[in-house]
Amino acid sequence: MKRLTFIAGISAIIAMSACTNTTTDKITNAVAADSCAGRAFPYPALYQGTFPAADSEGAKYNLVVEQGKCGVGVYALRTDYIGAPKPGDVYLDSGTVSRTTVDSIAVMKLNSVVPGNEPMNFKINRDGSLTMLTSDMQEAPSGLSYKLEKVL
């Protein structure tokens, strides 16, 4: 229940921050959406998964992606560290998300609004799931799973 409340709250905040009230803005947004057809990916979306972590039993990721313009959207990311030194360690992040292609691989790029945070890149798999990529756009060489399943 807490998870659904969190997702609903994040979605509401993102939706409210993206609202425009003028007719001019609505027309501009409609024209921009038409000129970007085919470059966006399905919104809204919720991805979940647990990644390996060095200092804990794992890191549980909840990623919410909402609609934006021309393939650029917004995201909210919650990371809960399981069995961390300080129980309940939680990391919250948000920013913009865009879709690009690297070596014919569809990639979702998360750009944080937090200064100093590096962008996160995910391969968009055919089944709709995401696999985290390294900074050089490769899957983890360790062979460990860094996959987020699409829940919604």
mmCIF file of all heavy atoms in Angstrom, residues 36-43 47 65-75 96-102 104-111 120-130 133 137 150:
data_model
loop_
_atom_site.group_PDB
_atom_site.id
_atom_site.type_symbol
_atom_site.label_atom_id
_atom_site.label_comp_id
_atom_site.label_asym_id
_atom_site.label_seq_id
_atom_site.Cartn_x
_atom_site.Cartn_y
_atom_site.Cartn_z
ATOM 1 N N CYS A 36 7.099 15.124 -33.157
ATOM 2 C CA CYS A 36 7.951 14.144 -32.492
ATOM 3 C C CYS A 36 7.386 12.742 -32.581
ATOM 4 O O CYS A 36 7.859 11.853 -31.876
ATOM 5 C CB CYS A 36 8.116 14.511 -31.019
ATOM 6 S SG CYS A 36 8.833 16.128 -30.767
ATOM 7 N N ALA A 37 6.376 12.530 -33.384
ATOM 8 C CA ALA A 37 5.715 11.227 -33.445
ATOM 9 C C ALA A 37 6.738 10.124 -33.691
ATOM 10 O O ALA A 37 7.636 10.253 -34.501
ATOM 11 C CB ALA A 37 4.663 11.228 -34.543
ATOM 12 N N GLY A 38 6.599 9.040 -32.953
ATOM 13 C CA GLY A 38 7.465 7.881 -33.133
ATOM 14 C C GLY A 38 8.741 7.907 -32.325
ATOM 15 O O GLY A 38 9.459 6.928 -32.271
ATOM 16 N N ARG A 39 9.048 9.033 -31.670
ATOM 17 C CA ARG A 39 10.292 9.092 -30.902
ATOM 18 C C ARG A 39 10.068 8.919 -29.402
ATOM 19 O O ARG A 39 11.003 8.747 -28.660
ATOM 20 C CB ARG A 39 11.006 10.415 -31.156
ATOM 21 C CG ARG A 39 11.580 10.479 -32.558
ATOM 22 C CD ARG A 39 12.558 11.587 -32.675
ATOM 23 N NE ARG A 39 11.864 12.858 -32.631
ATOM 24 C CZ ARG A 39 12.465 14.009 -32.465
ATOM 25 N NH1 ARG A 39 13.754 14.068 -32.312
ATOM 26 N NH2 ARG A 39 11.780 15.129 -32.446
ATOM 27 N N ALA A 40 8.821 8.994 -28.961
ATOM 28 C CA ALA A 40 8.539 8.844 -27.537
ATOM 29 C C ALA A 40 8.397 7.362 -27.201
ATOM 30 O O ALA A 40 8.347 6.525 -28.086
ATOM 31 C CB ALA A 40 7.269 9.592 -27.174
ATOM 32 N N PHE A 41 8.356 7.036 -25.922
ATOM 33 C CA PHE A 41 8.091 5.667 -25.522
ATOM 34 C C PHE A 41 6.894 5.672 -24.589
ATOM 35 O O PHE A 41 6.465 6.726 -24.139
ATOM 36 C CB PHE A 41 9.316 4.987 -24.917
ATOM 37 C CG PHE A 41 10.137 5.826 -23.977
ATOM 38 C CD1 PHE A 41 10.017 5.689 -22.617
ATOM 39 C CD2 PHE A 41 11.049 6.746 -24.483
ATOM 40 C CE1 PHE A 41 10.782 6.450 -21.771
ATOM 41 C CE2 PHE A 41 11.830 7.503 -23.632
ATOM 42 C CZ PHE A 41 11.689 7.355 -22.270
ATOM 43 N N PRO A 42 6.300 4.526 -24.305
ATOM 44 C CA PRO A 42 5.036 4.479 -23.569
ATOM 45 C C PRO A 42 5.110 5.126 -22.189
ATOM 46 O O PRO A 42 6.028 4.847 -21.418
ATOM 47 C CB PRO A 42 4.760 2.984 -23.434
ATOM 48 C CG PRO A 42 5.608 2.319 -24.439
ATOM 49 C CD PRO A 42 6.788 3.205 -24.672
ATOM 50 N N TYR A 43 4.157 5.978 -21.911
ATOM 51 C CA TYR A 43 4.036 6.649 -20.612
ATOM 52 C C TYR A 43 2.644 6.405 -20.084
ATOM 53 O O TYR A 43 1.733 6.219 -20.858
ATOM 54 C CB TYR A 43 4.217 8.156 -20.765
ATOM 55 C CG TYR A 43 5.574 8.603 -21.180
ATOM 56 C CD1 TYR A 43 5.795 9.093 -22.452
ATOM 57 C CD2 TYR A 43 6.635 8.561 -20.301
ATOM 58 C CE1 TYR A 43 7.042 9.526 -22.836
ATOM 59 C CE2 TYR A 43 7.891 9.001 -20.693
ATOM 60 C CZ TYR A 43 8.086 9.490 -21.952
ATOM 61 O OH TYR A 43 9.312 9.915 -22.316
ATOM 62 N N TYR A 47 8.820 0.838 -13.283
ATOM 63 C CA TYR A 47 9.791 -0.251 -13.377
ATOM 64 C C TYR A 47 10.278 -0.572 -11.965
ATOM 65 O O TYR A 47 10.504 0.341 -11.164
ATOM 66 C CB TYR A 47 10.981 0.151 -14.238
ATOM 67 C CG TYR A 47 10.624 0.510 -15.656
ATOM 68 C CD1 TYR A 47 10.320 1.821 -16.004
ATOM 69 C CD2 TYR A 47 10.589 -0.458 -16.651
ATOM 70 C CE1 TYR A 47 9.989 2.144 -17.313
ATOM 71 C CE2 TYR A 47 10.259 -0.140 -17.956
ATOM 72 C CZ TYR A 47 9.962 1.169 -18.280
ATOM 73 O OH TYR A 47 9.633 1.489 -19.569
ATOM 74 N N VAL A 65 8.286 6.800 -14.719
ATOM 75 C CA VAL A 65 8.575 7.657 -15.872
ATOM 76 C C VAL A 65 7.261 8.256 -16.357
ATOM 77 O O VAL A 65 6.273 7.545 -16.519
ATOM 78 C CB VAL A 65 9.244 6.844 -17.008
ATOM 79 C CG1 VAL A 65 9.544 7.734 -18.193
ATOM 80 C CG2 VAL A 65 10.512 6.178 -16.509
ATOM 81 N N GLU A 66 7.250 9.566 -16.562
ATOM 82 C CA GLU A 66 6.049 10.271 -17.023
ATOM 83 C C GLU A 66 6.318 10.966 -18.350
ATOM 84 O O GLU A 66 7.467 11.217 -18.712
ATOM 85 C CB GLU A 66 5.612 11.312 -15.985
ATOM 86 C CG GLU A 66 5.103 10.729 -14.696
ATOM 87 C CD GLU A 66 3.703 10.163 -14.812
ATOM 88 O OE1 GLU A 66 2.961 10.547 -15.737
ATOM 89 O OE2 GLU A 66 3.350 9.329 -13.961
ATOM 90 N N GLN A 67 5.259 11.326 -19.037
ATOM 91 C CA GLN A 67 5.330 11.912 -20.373
ATOM 92 C C GLN A 67 5.961 13.300 -20.379
ATOM 93 O O GLN A 67 5.798 14.082 -19.467
ATOM 94 C CB GLN A 67 3.932 12.004 -20.970
ATOM 95 C CG GLN A 67 3.924 12.458 -22.400
ATOM 96 C CD GLN A 67 2.542 12.314 -23.016
ATOM 97 O OE1 GLN A 67 1.599 11.941 -22.350
ATOM 98 N NE2 GLN A 67 2.449 12.603 -24.283
ATOM 99 N N GLY A 68 6.671 13.567 -21.455
ATOM 100 C CA GLY A 68 7.248 14.879 -21.701
ATOM 101 C C GLY A 68 7.079 15.207 -23.173
ATOM 102 O O GLY A 68 6.152 14.720 -23.815
ATOM 103 N N LYS A 69 7.978 16.001 -23.731
ATOM 104 C CA LYS A 69 7.899 16.413 -25.133
ATOM 105 C C LYS A 69 9.041 15.799 -25.938
ATOM 106 O O LYS A 69 10.156 15.693 -25.453
ATOM 107 C CB LYS A 69 8.003 17.929 -25.240
ATOM 108 C CG LYS A 69 6.910 18.664 -24.517
ATOM 109 C CD LYS A 69 7.157 20.157 -24.616
ATOM 110 C CE LYS A 69 6.205 20.896 -23.721
ATOM 111 N NZ LYS A 69 6.504 22.323 -23.685
ATOM 112 N N CYS A 70 8.754 15.415 -27.176
ATOM 113 C CA CYS A 70 9.758 14.942 -28.135
ATOM 114 C C CYS A 70 10.669 13.854 -27.571
ATOM 115 O O CYS A 70 11.893 13.927 -27.716
ATOM 116 C CB CYS A 70 10.598 16.110 -28.642
ATOM 117 S SG CYS A 70 9.671 17.229 -29.673
ATOM 118 N N GLY A 71 10.085 12.876 -26.909
ATOM 119 C CA GLY A 71 10.890 11.782 -26.382
ATOM 120 C C GLY A 71 11.594 12.104 -25.087
ATOM 121 O O GLY A 71 12.316 11.291 -24.552
ATOM 122 N N VAL A 72 11.407 13.321 -24.571
ATOM 123 C CA VAL A 72 12.003 13.699 -23.294
ATOM 124 C C VAL A 72 10.882 13.732 -22.261
ATOM 125 O O VAL A 72 9.870 14.378 -22.447
ATOM 126 C CB VAL A 72 12.692 15.076 -23.367
ATOM 127 C CG1 VAL A 72 13.229 15.480 -22.000
ATOM 128 C CG2 VAL A 72 13.812 15.056 -24.392
ATOM 129 N N GLY A 73 11.058 12.996 -21.181
ATOM 130 C CA GLY A 73 10.058 12.962 -20.124
ATOM 131 C C GLY A 73 10.695 13.297 -18.794
ATOM 132 O O GLY A 73 11.783 13.855 -18.739
ATOM 133 N N VAL A 74 10.006 12.954 -17.732
ATOM 134 C CA VAL A 74 10.522 13.173 -16.386
ATOM 135 C C VAL A 74 10.460 11.853 -15.637
ATOM 136 O O VAL A 74 9.683 10.971 -15.974
ATOM 137 C CB VAL A 74 9.734 14.268 -15.631
ATOM 138 C CG1 VAL A 74 9.972 15.630 -16.260
ATOM 139 C CG2 VAL A 74 8.247 13.949 -15.597
ATOM 140 N N TYR A 75 11.305 11.724 -14.627
ATOM 141 C CA TYR A 75 11.322 10.491 -13.851
ATOM 142 C C TYR A 75 11.476 10.797 -12.370
ATOM 143 O O TYR A 75 11.946 11.863 -11.977
ATOM 144 C CB TYR A 75 12.453 9.555 -14.298
ATOM 145 C CG TYR A 75 13.826 9.964 -13.821
ATOM 146 C CD1 TYR A 75 14.336 9.497 -12.616
ATOM 147 C CD2 TYR A 75 14.623 10.825 -14.571
ATOM 148 C CE1 TYR A 75 15.593 9.870 -12.173
ATOM 149 C CE2 TYR A 75 15.885 11.200 -14.140
ATOM 150 C CZ TYR A 75 16.357 10.720 -12.937
ATOM 151 O OH TYR A 75 17.606 11.096 -12.495
ATOM 152 N N THR A 96 15.165 14.427 -15.845
ATOM 153 C CA THR A 96 14.582 14.210 -17.170
ATOM 154 C C THR A 96 15.027 12.854 -17.707
ATOM 155 O O THR A 96 16.060 12.330 -17.325
ATOM 156 C CB THR A 96 15.012 15.306 -18.166
ATOM 157 O OG1 THR A 96 16.439 15.288 -18.291
ATOM 158 C CG2 THR A 96 14.531 16.676 -17.721
ATOM 159 N N VAL A 97 14.201 12.328 -18.581
ATOM 160 C CA VAL A 97 14.508 11.045 -19.208
ATOM 161 C C VAL A 97 14.326 11.207 -20.712
ATOM 162 O O VAL A 97 13.405 11.876 -21.167
ATOM 163 C CB VAL A 97 13.613 9.911 -18.648
ATOM 164 C CG1 VAL A 97 12.150 10.200 -18.821
ATOM 165 C CG2 VAL A 97 13.961 8.574 -19.260
ATOM 166 N N SER A 98 15.261 10.656 -21.463
ATOM 167 C CA SER A 98 15.163 10.737 -22.919
ATOM 168 C C SER A 98 15.485 9.379 -23.517
ATOM 169 O O SER A 98 16.052 8.515 -22.859
ATOM 170 C CB SER A 98 16.126 11.794 -23.470
ATOM 171 O OG SER A 98 17.459 11.502 -23.102
ATOM 172 N N ARG A 99 15.080 9.215 -24.750
ATOM 173 C CA ARG A 99 15.350 7.971 -25.467
ATOM 174 C C ARG A 99 16.291 8.274 -26.616
ATOM 175 O O ARG A 99 16.125 9.268 -27.321
ATOM 176 C CB ARG A 99 14.045 7.384 -25.996
ATOM 177 C CG ARG A 99 14.260 6.092 -26.753
ATOM 178 C CD ARG A 99 12.950 5.530 -27.248
ATOM 179 N NE ARG A 99 13.207 4.358 -28.079
ATOM 180 C CZ ARG A 99 12.330 3.425 -28.304
ATOM 181 N NH1 ARG A 99 11.132 3.505 -27.786
ATOM 182 N NH2 ARG A 99 12.631 2.393 -29.058
ATOM 183 N N THR A 100 17.281 7.411 -26.776
ATOM 184 C CA THR A 100 18.241 7.576 -27.856
ATOM 185 C C THR A 100 18.611 6.192 -28.371
ATOM 186 O O THR A 100 18.179 5.181 -27.832
ATOM 187 C CB THR A 100 19.485 8.357 -27.375
ATOM 188 O OG1 THR A 100 20.310 8.652 -28.486
ATOM 189 C CG2 THR A 100 20.265 7.586 -26.328
ATOM 190 N N THR A 101 19.419 6.155 -29.404
ATOM 191 C CA THR A 101 19.902 4.893 -29.940
ATOM 192 C C THR A 101 21.421 4.931 -29.964
ATOM 193 O O THR A 101 22.013 5.902 -30.441
ATOM 194 C CB THR A 101 19.361 4.650 -31.368
ATOM 195 O OG1 THR A 101 17.936 4.699 -31.321
ATOM 196 C CG2 THR A 101 19.791 3.307 -31.896
ATOM 197 N N VAL A 102 22.048 3.898 -29.421
ATOM 198 C CA VAL A 102 23.499 3.778 -29.404
ATOM 199 C C VAL A 102 23.847 2.423 -30.013
ATOM 200 O O VAL A 102 23.447 1.382 -29.482
ATOM 201 C CB VAL A 102 24.059 3.886 -27.966
ATOM 202 C CG1 VAL A 102 25.557 3.685 -27.962
ATOM 203 C CG2 VAL A 102 23.672 5.203 -27.335
ATOM 204 N N SER A 104 22.658 0.894 -32.544
ATOM 205 C CA SER A 104 21.368 0.254 -32.852
ATOM 206 C C SER A 104 20.673 -0.355 -31.631
ATOM 207 O O SER A 104 19.808 -1.209 -31.758
ATOM 208 C CB SER A 104 21.514 -0.782 -33.975
ATOM 209 O OG SER A 104 22.238 -1.902 -33.534
ATOM 210 N N ILE A 105 21.042 0.095 -30.429
ATOM 211 C CA ILE A 105 20.379 -0.344 -29.196
ATOM 212 C C ILE A 105 19.570 0.832 -28.664
ATOM 213 O O ILE A 105 20.096 1.937 -28.509
ATOM 214 C CB ILE A 105 21.410 -0.788 -28.136
ATOM 215 C CG1 ILE A 105 22.191 -2.008 -28.622
ATOM 216 C CG2 ILE A 105 20.742 -1.075 -26.805
ATOM 217 C CD1 ILE A 105 23.356 -2.380 -27.738
ATOM 218 N N ALA A 106 18.268 0.590 -28.383
ATOM 219 C CA ALA A 106 17.421 1.627 -27.798
ATOM 220 C C ALA A 106 17.846 1.835 -26.349
ATOM 221 O O ALA A 106 17.947 0.883 -25.575
ATOM 222 C CB ALA A 106 15.963 1.230 -27.882
ATOM 223 N N VAL A 107 18.100 3.100 -25.981
ATOM 224 C CA VAL A 107 18.604 3.432 -24.648
ATOM 225 C C VAL A 107 17.733 4.507 -24.012
ATOM 226 O O VAL A 107 17.388 5.496 -24.650
ATOM 227 C CB VAL A 107 20.066 3.924 -24.717
ATOM 228 C CG1 VAL A 107 20.561 4.390 -23.355
ATOM 229 C CG2 VAL A 107 20.973 2.836 -25.275
ATOM 230 N N MET A 108 17.380 4.289 -22.732
ATOM 231 C CA MET A 108 16.702 5.298 -21.927
ATOM 232 C C MET A 108 17.768 5.941 -21.050
ATOM 233 O O MET A 108 18.497 5.245 -20.335
ATOM 234 C CB MET A 108 15.618 4.663 -21.049
ATOM 235 C CG MET A 108 14.883 5.672 -20.179
ATOM 236 S SD MET A 108 13.751 4.906 -18.964
ATOM 237 C CE MET A 108 12.533 4.165 -20.029
ATOM 238 N N LYS A 109 17.873 7.262 -21.125
ATOM 239 C CA LYS A 109 18.895 7.987 -20.368
ATOM 240 C C LYS A 109 18.219 8.835 -19.296
ATOM 241 O O LYS A 109 17.342 9.634 -19.601
ATOM 242 C CB LYS A 109 19.710 8.875 -21.304
ATOM 243 C CG LYS A 109 20.832 9.623 -20.626
ATOM 244 C CD LYS A 109 21.669 10.379 -21.635
ATOM 245 C CE LYS A 109 22.854 11.020 -20.963
ATOM 246 N NZ LYS A 109 23.753 11.643 -21.938
ATOM 247 N N LEU A 110 18.637 8.651 -18.045
ATOM 248 C CA LEU A 110 18.120 9.427 -16.926
ATOM 249 C C LEU A 110 19.137 10.505 -16.567
ATOM 250 O O LEU A 110 20.283 10.205 -16.256
ATOM 251 C CB LEU A 110 17.880 8.537 -15.704
ATOM 252 C CG LEU A 110 17.006 7.299 -15.885
ATOM 253 C CD1 LEU A 110 16.887 6.550 -14.559
ATOM 254 C CD2 LEU A 110 15.654 7.648 -16.446
ATOM 255 N N ASN A 111 18.716 11.761 -16.627
ATOM 256 C CA ASN A 111 19.568 12.896 -16.276
ATOM 257 C C ASN A 111 19.055 13.516 -14.987
ATOM 258 O O ASN A 111 18.002 14.153 -14.980
ATOM 259 C CB ASN A 111 19.576 13.942 -17.394
ATOM 260 C CG ASN A 111 20.248 13.426 -18.636
ATOM 261 O OD1 ASN A 111 21.433 13.131 -18.623
ATOM 262 N ND2 ASN A 111 19.492 13.278 -19.709
ATOM 263 N N MET A 120 22.238 8.041 -15.792
ATOM 264 C CA MET A 120 22.081 6.586 -15.764
ATOM 265 C C MET A 120 21.524 6.168 -17.116
ATOM 266 O O MET A 120 20.619 6.819 -17.646
ATOM 267 C CB MET A 120 21.122 6.160 -14.652
ATOM 268 C CG MET A 120 21.638 6.440 -13.262
ATOM 269 S SD MET A 120 20.410 6.060 -11.980
ATOM 270 C CE MET A 120 20.410 4.279 -12.043
ATOM 271 N N ASN A 121 22.057 5.095 -17.676
ATOM 272 C CA ASN A 121 21.609 4.603 -18.973
ATOM 273 C C ASN A 121 21.054 3.190 -18.831
ATOM 274 O O ASN A 121 21.653 2.355 -18.152
ATOM 275 C CB ASN A 121 22.769 4.593 -19.973
ATOM 276 C CG ASN A 121 23.285 5.987 -20.217
ATOM 277 O OD1 ASN A 121 22.581 6.821 -20.754
ATOM 278 N ND2 ASN A 121 24.513 6.256 -19.809
ATOM 279 N N PHE A 122 19.928 2.955 -19.505
ATOM 280 C CA PHE A 122 19.291 1.645 -19.488
ATOM 281 C C PHE A 122 18.997 1.205 -20.907
ATOM 282 O O PHE A 122 18.448 1.982 -21.701
ATOM 283 C CB PHE A 122 17.961 1.683 -18.719
ATOM 284 C CG PHE A 122 18.118 1.885 -17.242
ATOM 285 C CD1 PHE A 122 18.145 3.160 -16.697
ATOM 286 C CD2 PHE A 122 18.230 0.793 -16.393
ATOM 287 C CE1 PHE A 122 18.273 3.345 -15.333
ATOM 288 C CE2 PHE A 122 18.366 0.976 -15.028
ATOM 289 C CZ PHE A 122 18.388 2.260 -14.495
ATOM 290 N N LYS A 123 19.328 -0.030 -21.207
ATOM 291 C CA LYS A 123 18.946 -0.640 -22.479
ATOM 292 C C LYS A 123 17.455 -0.953 -22.387
ATOM 293 O O LYS A 123 16.988 -1.499 -21.390
ATOM 294 C CB LYS A 123 19.744 -1.928 -22.687
ATOM 295 C CG LYS A 123 19.336 -2.726 -23.905
ATOM 296 C CD LYS A 123 20.138 -4.017 -23.961
ATOM 297 C CE LYS A 123 19.647 -4.939 -25.037
ATOM 298 N NZ LYS A 123 20.364 -6.222 -24.997
ATOM 299 N N ILE A 124 16.699 -0.590 -23.431
ATOM 300 C CA ILE A 124 15.273 -0.908 -23.481
ATOM 301 C C ILE A 124 15.144 -2.254 -24.178
ATOM 302 O O ILE A 124 15.403 -2.377 -25.376
ATOM 303 C CB ILE A 124 14.482 0.183 -24.234
ATOM 304 C CG1 ILE A 124 14.701 1.548 -23.573
ATOM 305 C CG2 ILE A 124 12.997 -0.187 -24.285
ATOM 306 C CD1 ILE A 124 14.149 2.716 -24.363
ATOM 307 N N ASN A 125 14.794 -3.276 -23.424
ATOM 308 C CA ASN A 125 14.684 -4.633 -23.955
ATOM 309 C C ASN A 125 13.372 -4.823 -24.713
ATOM 310 O O ASN A 125 12.405 -4.096 -24.495
ATOM 311 C CB ASN A 125 14.798 -5.647 -22.813
ATOM 312 C CG ASN A 125 16.114 -5.522 -22.074
ATOM 313 O OD1 ASN A 125 17.176 -5.515 -22.678
ATOM 314 N ND2 ASN A 125 16.041 -5.407 -20.758
ATOM 315 N N ARG A 126 13.338 -5.807 -25.574
ATOM 316 C CA ARG A 126 12.149 -6.082 -26.385
ATOM 317 C C ARG A 126 10.915 -6.383 -25.550
ATOM 318 O O ARG A 126 9.812 -6.101 -25.954
ATOM 319 C CB ARG A 126 12.411 -7.219 -27.351
ATOM 320 C CG ARG A 126 13.379 -6.858 -28.440
ATOM 321 C CD ARG A 126 13.618 -8.017 -29.386
ATOM 322 N NE ARG A 126 14.656 -7.666 -30.321
ATOM 323 C CZ ARG A 126 14.444 -7.496 -31.608
ATOM 324 N NH1 ARG A 126 13.255 -7.673 -32.121
ATOM 325 N NH2 ARG A 126 15.448 -7.165 -32.402
ATOM 326 N N ASP A 127 11.112 -6.975 -24.368
ATOM 327 C CA ASP A 127 9.975 -7.314 -23.510
ATOM 328 C C ASP A 127 9.501 -6.132 -22.659
ATOM 329 O O ASP A 127 8.608 -6.261 -21.837
ATOM 330 C CB ASP A 127 10.307 -8.504 -22.613
ATOM 331 C CG ASP A 127 11.424 -8.208 -21.607
ATOM 332 O OD1 ASP A 127 11.964 -7.086 -21.595
ATOM 333 O OD2 ASP A 127 11.763 -9.121 -20.836
ATOM 334 N N GLY A 128 10.104 -4.940 -22.853
ATOM 335 C CA GLY A 128 9.708 -3.744 -22.115
ATOM 336 C C GLY A 128 10.508 -3.514 -20.851
ATOM 337 O O GLY A 128 10.400 -2.463 -20.229
ATOM 338 N N SER A 129 11.317 -4.479 -20.445
ATOM 339 C CA SER A 129 12.154 -4.298 -19.265
ATOM 340 C C SER A 129 13.354 -3.416 -19.605
ATOM 341 O O SER A 129 13.612 -3.123 -20.770
ATOM 342 C CB SER A 129 12.620 -5.655 -18.734
ATOM 343 O OG SER A 129 13.464 -6.289 -19.678
ATOM 344 N N LEU A 130 14.073 -2.997 -18.574
ATOM 345 C CA LEU A 130 15.266 -2.161 -18.737
ATOM 346 C C LEU A 130 16.464 -2.869 -18.122
ATOM 347 O O LEU A 130 16.343 -3.496 -17.070
ATOM 348 C CB LEU A 130 15.081 -0.821 -18.027
ATOM 349 C CG LEU A 130 13.885 0.031 -18.416
ATOM 350 C CD1 LEU A 130 13.804 1.268 -17.514
ATOM 351 C CD2 LEU A 130 13.958 0.434 -19.867
ATOM 352 N N LEU A 133 23.103 0.020 -17.974
ATOM 353 C CA LEU A 133 24.347 -0.024 -18.740
ATOM 354 C C LEU A 133 25.434 0.750 -18.013
ATOM 355 O O LEU A 133 25.156 1.667 -17.244
ATOM 356 C CB LEU A 133 24.121 0.591 -20.133
ATOM 357 C CG LEU A 133 23.063 -0.077 -21.008
ATOM 358 C CD1 LEU A 133 22.852 0.726 -22.283
ATOM 359 C CD2 LEU A 133 23.453 -1.511 -21.331
ATOM 360 N N MET A 137 28.197 2.313 -22.140
ATOM 361 C CA MET A 137 27.033 1.702 -22.806
ATOM 362 C C MET A 137 27.134 0.189 -22.971
ATOM 363 O O MET A 137 26.666 -0.369 -23.947
ATOM 364 C CB MET A 137 26.760 2.362 -24.165
ATOM 365 C CG MET A 137 26.476 3.824 -24.091
ATOM 366 S SD MET A 137 24.951 4.097 -23.161
ATOM 367 C CE MET A 137 24.847 5.853 -23.211
ATOM 368 N N LYS A 150 9.141 -4.027 -16.139
ATOM 369 C CA LYS A 150 8.057 -3.064 -16.285
ATOM 370 C C LYS A 150 6.823 -3.627 -15.575
ATOM 371 O O LYS A 150 6.361 -4.712 -15.883
ATOM 372 C CB LYS A 150 7.751 -2.815 -17.762
ATOM 373 C CG LYS A 150 6.754 -1.710 -17.969
ATOM 374 C CD LYS A 150 6.622 -1.347 -19.425
ATOM 375 C CE LYS A 150 5.676 -0.171 -19.576
ATOM 376 N NZ LYS A 150 5.521 0.201 -20.975
#
